[in-house]
Amino acid sequence: MARPSKPVNVIELEKKSHRTKAELQQRRRAEAELLTGKIITETTEVKSNQLAHKEFLRVRKLLRAIGKDDDLYSGVINRYCLISAECMEFEQKRKNIIRQQETLKEHSKNMEYEDYIEKSIELDKTLISYDRQIQAKRKMLFDIEKENVMTIASALRSIPKKPETKKSALLEALNG
């Protein structure tokens, strides 16, 4: 698989390139055409969720740093933040179940053995359920991260490396 082309700002920062000024100008125009020019927006659902809002602000700051805080990515970034918040909530619930298991062990001497086993199995099932939920959410997060990066990379790959050469109208007419 070919390596994606570098954005113009990276090429200029490196200060070593074989590209002509015309090629760089062509790439700069093509990169600008990939964006809407509107700043990424946060949905009310994300704003109302404290964890999702915090993640949104973090991700938006990172996207702004690389010049990709465009509203074109709002949907996927808002979804990512909500799933991230849900994942954190399940992780907190998982920690609570572990604490309950420890408390149950401490009080096991005061319980009937069958009651202890029954409650222990119930907590284990809940823990496994939360683990599955966390695993599913993490997979969703990974897929969004992977796709988002691939979308940006594919957008950069779609930029032509060489500027269009202007053909002479006279030569075209003569060649037919």
Side-chain angles (χ1 to χ4, degrees), residues 8-26:
V8 173
N9 58 355
V10 172
I11 294 170
E12 289 173 344
L13 286 172
E14 289 177 343
K15 294 184 181 176
K16 55 177 183 177
S17 176
H18 63 280
R19 292 169 185 86
T20 65
K21 288 181 182 179
E23 288 174 330
L24 291 174
Q25 190 61 29
Q26 161 82 21

Side-chain angles (χ1 to χ4, degrees), residues 13-172:
L13 286 172
E14 289 177 343
K15 294 184 181 176
K16 55 177 183 177
S17 176
H18 63 280
R19 292 169 185 86
T20 65
K21 288 181 182 179
E23 288 174 330
L24 291 174
Q25 190 61 29
Q26 161 82 21
R27 289 177 61 79
R28 188 175 287 111
R29 274 194 313 275
E31 285 178 19
E33 289 172 3
L34 294 173
L35 303 174
T36 64
K38 296 179 181 176
I39 296 172
I40 194 168
T41 56
E42 185 177 17
T43 61
T44 54
E45 192 176 13
V46 172
K47 281 181 188 177
S48 64
N49 184 319
Q50 185 179 1
L51 294 171
H53 176 68
K54 186 176 178 182
E55 183 67 6
F56 181 86
L57 294 176
R58 184 187 76 81
V59 171
R60 183 175 64 187
K61 182 178 177 184
L62 292 172
L63 289 172
R64 185 172 290 144
I66 63 169
K68 298 292 180 187
D69 63 334
D70 193 78
D71 202 32
L72 187 64
Y73 304 114
S74 286
V76 73
I77 297 304
N78 280 290
R79 201 168 19 261
Y80 176 83
C81 294
L82 285 171
I83 294 170
S84 180
E86 290 169 1
C87 189
M88 288 183 236
E89 289 165 358
F90 272 110
E91 287 169 356
Q92 188 59 44
K93 288 179 180 183
R94 185 183 182 283
K95 287 177 186 176
N96 289 338
I97 294 296
I98 291 172
R99 275 191 233 115
Q100 288 178 15
Q101 286 177 324
E102 291 168 358
T103 304
L104 182 64
K105 284 179 188 176
E106 291 171 6
H107 293 90
S108 65
K109 293 175 184 157
N110 302 336
M111 299 175 71
E112 290 290 324
Y113 182 72
E114 291 168 354
D115 290 340
Y116 170 76
I117 293 297
E118 188 178 305
K119 297 216 184 277
S120 181
I121 289 171
E122 192 176 306
L123 288 173
D124 285 343
K125 285 181 182 178
T126 305
L127 186 64
I128 289 169
S129 172
Y130 288 159
D131 281 340
R132 283 189 185 131
Q133 290 291 329
I134 292 169
Q135 185 178 10
K137 302 246 181 245
R138 285 182 180 162
K139 168 108 173 66
M140 288 181 216
L141 290 172
F142 177 71
D143 289 344
I144 290 172
E145 291 165 355
K146 184 177 165 187
E147 180 61 30
N148 198 29
V149 171
M150 289 171 67
T151 301
I152 294 169
S154 67
L156 291 175
R157 277 194 300 272
S158 70
I159 298 169
K161 291 186 178 187
K162 299 191 182 222
E164 296 176 16
T165 55
K166 293 182 181 177
K167 295 183 180 179
S168 167
L170 179 62
L171 284 175
E172 283 185 29

